């Protein structure tokens, strides 16, 4: 069966510090991968998606970037965090044929 | 992509059937309707997906009228553990990378 992992689960970072969140998927090949952010009490905002290694599409201009160095690895990064980057970050995958998205446990980021 | 409208919140007592309706007036011919459930501090979880008429699984039923301009998620005999946010999504096959989840419907189950 397929599983999706995210780490860390919780992160507290100072403003201006770098960020690296990692997401890995097991049990599938060539998945579509997604990064979402959810602010408190809000819906999910799609940040990036990827249909293959090195292929990244950005949905929202921001202080973040994403990379996909391996087929089942998706990384969300920032060089300098802003207060507004605080939120709940979710990684998801989908089978390119089925489209239903399966979400990871999420990372709660607090920028102080 | 079709825009969806659903109630912001609903309350229900334990043991009751809950129906959450989603409007999607400009749904396209090749759009599917998908519902997700999200508990606090967790990622959304797929519940059910359909194209037309009725779909049922072990968790819920999805009713879609002939014009497909709305859909209703039905949860039978809810329990406290069904308290969550429920999202309705409409998108074509191959189009889910553009989907916006919105704020969903917050269901509160009352003892």
């Amino acid at each position: 069966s397929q599983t999706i992992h995210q780490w860390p689960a919780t992160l507290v970072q100072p403003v201006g510090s770098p960020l690296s969140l990692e997401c890995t998927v097991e049990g599938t090949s060539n998945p579509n991968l997604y990064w979402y952010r959810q602010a408190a009490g809000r819906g999910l905002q799609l940040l990036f998606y990827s249909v293959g290694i090195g292929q990244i599409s950005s949905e929202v201009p921001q202080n973040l970037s994403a990379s996909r160095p391996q087929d089942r690895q998706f990384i969300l990064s920032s060089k300098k965090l802003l207060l507004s980057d605080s939120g709940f970050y979710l990684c998801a995958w989908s089978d390119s044929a089925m489209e239903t998205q399966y979400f990871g446990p999420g990372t709660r980021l607090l920028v102080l | 992509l079709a825009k969806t409208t659903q109630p912001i919140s609903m309350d229900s007592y334990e043991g009751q059937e809950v129906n959450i309706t989603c409007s999607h007036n400009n749904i396209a011919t090749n759009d599917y309707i998908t519902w997700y459930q999200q508990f606090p501090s967790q990622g959304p979880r797929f519940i059910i997906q359909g194209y037309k008429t009725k779909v049922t699984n072990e968790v819920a039923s999805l009713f879609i009228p002939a014009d497909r301009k709305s859909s209703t998620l039905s949860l039978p005999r809810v329990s406290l553990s069904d308290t969550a946010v429920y999202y309705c999504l409409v998108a074509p096959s191959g189009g889910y990378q553009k989907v916006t989840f919105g704020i969903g419907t917050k269901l509160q189950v009352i003892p």
Side-chain angles (χ1 to χ4, degrees):
Chain A
S1 63
Q2 300 87 3
T3 56
I4 179 169
H5 304 278
Q6 282 186 249
W7 63 90
T10 305
L11 191 60
V12 180
Q13 292 285 98
V15 170
S17 64
L19 173 74
S20 180
L21 302 181
E22 189 164 344
C23 171
T24 59
V25 181
E26 297 176 354
T28 188
S29 298
N30 194 32
N32 292 336
L33 296 172
Y34 311 82
W35 277 113
Y36 289 87
R37 176 170 61 199
Q38 186 173 35
R42 306 289 294 274
L44 280 72
Q45 178 187 36
L46 178 62
L47 302 175
F48 301 95
Y49 69 92
S50 171
V51 298
I53 295 174
Q55 300 178 63
I56 310 293
S57 296
S58 175
E59 287 297 304
V60 182
Q62 62 222 324
N63 186 41
L64 303 168
S65 62
S67 62
R68 184 170 177 173
Q70 301 180 41
D71 180 45
R72 290 168 289 177
Q73 184 185 31
F74 206 22
I75 298 173
L76 183 69
S77 304
S78 174
K79 293 182 178 179
K80 289 185 177 182
L81 284 169
L82 306 172
L83 288 174
S84 57
D85 291 324
S86 293
F88 190 43
Y89 287 83
L90 289 157
C91 179
W93 75 272
S94 69
D95 182 306
S96 57
M98 296 297 294
E99 281 84 40
T100 299
Q101 295 186 27
Y102 300 93
F103 286 80
T107 295
R108 190 161 299 282
L109 172 66
L110 179 60
V111 182
L112 300 176
Chain B
L1 293 174
K3 180 181 177 181
T4 59
T5 302
Q6 51 184 125
I8 294 175
S9 64
M10 295 180 68
D11 292 337
S12 176
Y13 288 101
E14 274 191 294
Q16 290 187 331
E17 178 185 73
V18 171
N19 295 311
I20 306 174
T21 297
C22 179
S23 298
H24 27 81
N25 291 319
N26 59 337
I27 189 169
T29 302
N30 58 342
D31 282 343
Y32 284 78
I33 301 157
T34 308
W35 286 80
Y36 289 81
Q37 174 192 56
Q38 185 181 24
F39 297 113
S41 298
Q42 295 185 27
R45 180 177 73 107
F46 169 83
I47 299 176
I48 198 166
Q49 184 181 70
Y51 182 80
K52 62 180 179 180
T53 62
K54 178 183 176 182
V55 179
T56 298
N57 61 23
E58 65 278 5
V59 177
S61 295
L62 178 60
F63 297 92
I64 306 169
D67 66 6
R68 303 202 325 124
K69 293 183 182 300
S70 66
S71 59
T72 299
L73 175 72
S74 180
L75 305 172
R77 297 179 299 281
V78 294
S79 64
L80 295 176
S81 63
D82 293 315
T83 294
V85 177
Y86 293 83
Y87 298 96
C88 165
L89 280 73
V90 173
S93 174
Y96 272 78
Q97 59 267 36
K98 300 291 187 181
V99 170
T100 300
F101 272 71
I103 63 173
T105 297
K106 185 172 183 179
L107 173 65
Q108 180 69 50
V109 180
I110 305 166

